[in-house]
Amino acid sequence: PPMERKTSAELYERANELSEHLGIPISEVSVGGGSDGNITAALGVPTLDGLGAVGENAHSTGENILIRALAPRAALIAALIATL
């Protein structure tokens, strides 16, 4: 079964506050599919997925990323880790 939203709500709120402070927009969505995050979520560990590279056409020959988004995303992830 999918992880309940409340399991990661506090972690998401922390990430959202940091993203606002850093001026890096993030949004909450729920999607299906495969991810290493499925392992931690299945164990009941608060899990956020999709904080990596921004781009389109994942896992296809047309996959691409926005280079200008790499540093801001890295800053957000670093800030989030620093607060754990």
Side-chain angles (χ1 to χ4, degrees):
M3 178 180 66
E4 291 189 39
R5 183 186 177 280
K6 67 182 179 182
T7 303
S8 293
E10 184 179 327
L11 182 59
Y12 173 76
E13 287 305 318
R14 183 178 297 170
N16 192 48
E17 289 172 10
L18 291 167
S19 74
E20 288 176 3
H21 177 74
L22 295 168
I24 304 165
I26 64 169
S27 60
E28 180 180 8
V29 297
S30 179
V31 297
S35 162
D36 292 340
N38 292 347
I39 297 167
T40 56
L43 296 171
V45 176
T47 303
L48 299 179
D49 197 7
L51 292 177
V54 177
E56 298 176 325
N57 304 313
H59 313 295
S60 74
T61 57
E63 181 174 17
N64 63 78
I65 62 169
L66 297 174
I67 293 173
R68 69 178 180 271
L70 290 174
R73 282 296 182 114
L76 173 58
I77 293 166
L80 184 57
I81 291 170
T83 67
L84 296 178

